[in-house]
Amino acid sequence: MTHTRLVLANLGRNKLRTAFTGGAITLAVLLVCILLTMPAAMDRLLEDIASDVRISVHNKAGLVYSMPGSFTRKVRNIDGVAAAVGMVWYGGAYEDGGKVTFPNFAIESEHVGAVYPDYPIEKEELADFVRYRDGAIVGAQTMDKYGWKIGDRVTLKSTIWPVDLDFRIVGRIDNPQSPHFWFSRTYLDEAMKAKLGQAAGFVGTIWVRAADPSRVNSIMLAVEEMSRNSDAEAVAETEKSFFQNFFGSLEGFIRIILLVTGLVTLCIIFIAANTASMNVRERSGEIAVLKAIGFARRFIFGSLLGEVVVLSTVAGAVGVGLALGFAGLLQSLAGGDGSLGPLGGFIITAPVLVQGLFLSLFIGMLAGVVPSFGAARKPVALALHEIF
Amino acid sequence: MADGSNALIDVRNVSRHYVRNVDEVHALDDVSLEVPAACFVALMGPSGSGKSTLLNLISGIDRPSEGEVIVAGQPLSTLDEDELATWRARHVGLIFQFFNLIPVLSARENVALPLLLTDLDKAERRRRAETALRVVGLEERFDHFPRTLSGGEQQRVAIARAIVTDPDLIVADEPTGDLDARNAEAILDLLRALKNEFGKTIVMVTHDSRALRYVDEAHHLDKGVLLTGEEAERAAAALLAAAGAHPMPPARSDGSS
Ligand SMILES: Nc1ncnc2c1ncn2[C@@H]1O[C@H](COP(=O)(O)OP(=O)(O)O)[C@@H](O)[C@H]1O
Ligand SMILES: [Mg+2]
């Protein structure tokens, strides 16, 4: 007979209730671990797809507005800029029905290699892209979706330009998450001249590669300074923040996650506290007798609280284990084919594990403290009078 | 102590009032009582007469509103809450009407429970628990859980738990109240044996007239007052008459006619 034996025996008293409460805590900790991992996973995703040295420049009014074509050259001349490439949205539809199913841009093909040296594109394919005026470079996602191969010819019908263009696929961006379809700006301009007598003189987005990360801020300032008071005021963003806009405000997202996490925790504390007070009430006779035969208040308090804390910590550890298993499963599913996209980057970090364990400890403490204290504090004579 | 009495328990002009909402309940009113060592005493009286209240004061479970309780030379009023708990653990064995054993612990573990408050090692705690269970005649039941024991057996486990620390004083609040006649007599027998063979002082609350055949002294309470002289004799006679009229009265009999 030991203190530990007493606490453990009490946990086994109502096995179903212990299992339900433990299960609720396990699920809550699992959920919280997953929620806490979400922002980190997204951050990692951004790290993956976005470079430190690329900057996007677009019209301050929004991504759909354009800037004068001459702007690209000016940006290229800013101190610290290694390369810049202008692109414009073509809005071409491949499928019948005129729906745009992948992003396609007319781009200054001769600058692509300099701005995207990190992209997995074969050197010869890049050279072909520059050489053939109707050449297109396509991301693996779109290539695989339509079963295209290098050398294939495809036609895109533009939803915004008055010209439909035929392309020869000359290269592949070998990243399973890349949907892009790029073709030469010259090809678009020539088609427009043939059709309307003149080419469009504007550019949609300019992507800039800084010579090194320390130059990024000064380049962004210079771009905005340069465009101020012109009729197309421009903003510059790093590639990371550019993508963050697609995800919505990451900060707001994190705040919501924290809020949900807090509510889940609170909810589970109430559930566990309810169990604890039910236990205390059912055992009031025994507790009164224990006190009468000389167990001090701190012993009663300690063993009741210990019971809840042991339960919640064990349940929390199981939850953390499940979260690890879940992340491992996602990764092995995502392994190689990338069809799970960002989910493959779902990695439960050590801090999240520690937080999960701490959380379960915290749940146990908070849930147990009030009922245990109440039971411990009640005068013995009163407790005996109430039960006999 | 100062007056040189050799009483183990010295209750001096004790009152206990409970404040309930605005009313004051006088559970005990100016009660004085001495119990010699190695004596088996019954506290008798109708329900609500203050028997449990007096027993709680004697065993240091409750404190008097007025007066003083001295047990084995120790004035209980000088002890704070935790000291009082420690004092009870060392010097008092408690038995209740409802056995309140811990259902998830075996008989041996239930009995060993009070020894957690000592610094005996695990093996010694186990040995003493088994000895106590032998004393109450449960040597065959060490590993049984409460729900597999009869009411009488459960009360024996509770008695073993009360004597496992070898206290000088045993207090029992209606220990036979929840038992049938045969088991009740067996428990009374056991308590008497504890006094005779181990020199324990026992104070037992009961309204079972059969107890009169087992105890050395009976004190009668009525409405919080300890009856003395003629009143006490009349109460005792009434109880005995009832016991005579019904040789085996039911345990819950009030003994009045
Ligand atoms: N803790 C308490 N709080 C309030 N009233 C109490 C308490 N304990 C006992 N009483 C009251 O004191 C009186 C005597 O009670 P008690 O000593 O339990 O009587 P008995 O044991 O003789 O039946 C009763 O009126 C009872 O309701
Ligand atoms: Mg009573």
Side-chain angles (χ1 to χ4, degrees), chain A residues 385 388, chain B residues 46-53 97 173-174 205 207:
Chain A
H385 179 67
F388 294 135
Chain B
S47 189
S49 56
K51 307 183 294 293
S52 295
T53 303
Q97 175 177 353
D173 197 339
E174 312 221 21
V205 161
H207 45 266

Side-chain angles (χ1 to χ4, degrees), chain A residues 1-3 5-6 9-10 13 285-286 289-298 380-381 384-385 387-388, chain B residues 56 61-62 81-82 85 88-89 94 96 98 100-105 109 112-114 116-117 122 125 161:
Chain A
M1 188 55 222
T2 58
H3 287 80
R5 163 89 179 106
L6 181 64
N10 276 330
R13 187 181 282 249
E286 290 161 37
V289 168
L290 281 181
K291 277 183 179 175
I293 66 179
F295 284 95
R297 287 166 296 188
R298 63 175 176 281
V380 200
L384 287 172
H385 179 67
I387 57 165
F388 294 135
Chain B
N56 287 347
I61 281 174
D62 197 10
E81 207 58 40
D82 286 338
R88 286 198 302 272
L94 290 147
F96 302 95
F98 304 107
N100 274 301
L101 302 173
I102 298 195
V104 286
L105 298 181
E109 288 172 325
L113 212 50
L116 282 182
L117 298 168
K122 203 175 159 186
R125 295 199 299 258
R161 182 176 66 187

Side-chain angles (χ1 to χ4, degrees), chain B residues 36-58:
Chain B
C39 187
F40 188 3
V41 171
L43 293 177
M44 310 194 75
S47 189
S49 56
K51 307 183 294 293
S52 295
T53 303
L54 181 54
L55 200 69
N56 287 347
L57 296 178
I58 289 171

Side-chain angles (χ1 to χ4, degrees), chain A residues 323-375:
Chain A
L324 273 179
F326 177 71
L329 185 74
L330 277 183
Q331 257 164 290
S332 69
L333 285 180
D337 75 6
S339 61
L340 283 172
L343 288 180
F346 196 91
I347 298 161
I348 304 232
T349 57
V352 169
L353 293 185
V354 173
Q355 280 169 31
L357 287 177
F358 256 104
L359 180 77
S360 55
L361 189 69
F362 176 74
I363 289 174
M365 292 283 200
L366 237 65
V369 75
V370 172
S372 307
F373 186 72

Side-chain angles (χ1 to χ4, degrees), chain A residues 169-308:
Chain A
I169 297 175
V170 297
R172 170 185 172 100
I173 306 170
D174 205 7
N175 176 341
Q177 290 170 33
S178 170
H180 302 293
F181 186 110
W182 288 341
F183 61 91
S184 167
R185 175 67 190 260
T186 320
Y187 188 41
L188 176 65
D189 285 349
E190 282 171 2
M192 286 297 289
K193 254 184 217 148
K195 176 102 184 176
L196 301 178
Q198 67 172 73
F202 60 84
V203 62
T205 306
I206 303 165
W207 280 100
V208 178
R209 185 167 66 82
D212 66 82
S214 66
R215 311 298 286 269
V216 166
N217 276 331
S218 66
I219 294 172
M220 294 201 308
L221 283 175
V223 166
E224 285 170 23
E225 184 60 35
M226 213 169 69
S227 74
R228 185 152 311 150
N229 303 325
S230 82
D231 52 352
E233 220 176 311
V235 279
E237 292 176 297
T238 60
E239 192 167 20
K240 252 184 111 163
S241 62
F242 180 78
F243 279 116
Q244 273 171 8
N245 285 341
F246 285 161
F247 287 120
S249 153
L250 199 61
E251 221 165 273
F253 183 71
I254 289 173
R255 216 170 289 137
I256 286 173
I257 282 183
L258 288 181
L259 187 73
V260 172
T261 307
L263 288 177
V264 167
T265 306
L266 204 64
C267 170
I268 233 61
I269 287 174
F270 283 130
I271 290 178
N274 179 47
T275 307
S277 47
M278 255 160 32
N279 286 341
V280 165
R281 197 168 51 241
E282 273 169 21
R283 289 184 224 157
S284 55
E286 290 161 37
I287 293 170
V289 168
L290 281 181
K291 277 183 179 175
I293 66 179
F295 284 95
R297 287 166 296 188
R298 63 175 176 281
F299 175 92
I300 306 285
F301 179 74
S303 68
L304 291 173
L305 184 65
E307 201 178 313
V308 191

Side-chain angles (χ1 to χ4, degrees), chain B residues 109-129:
Chain B
E109 288 172 325
N110 266 288
V111 172
L113 212 50
L115 297 177
L116 282 182
L117 298 168
T118 65
D119 26 73
L120 299 174
D121 65 32
K122 203 175 159 186
E124 181 63 13
R125 295 199 299 258
R126 185 185 166 99
R127 202 185 60 73
R128 293 203 184 182

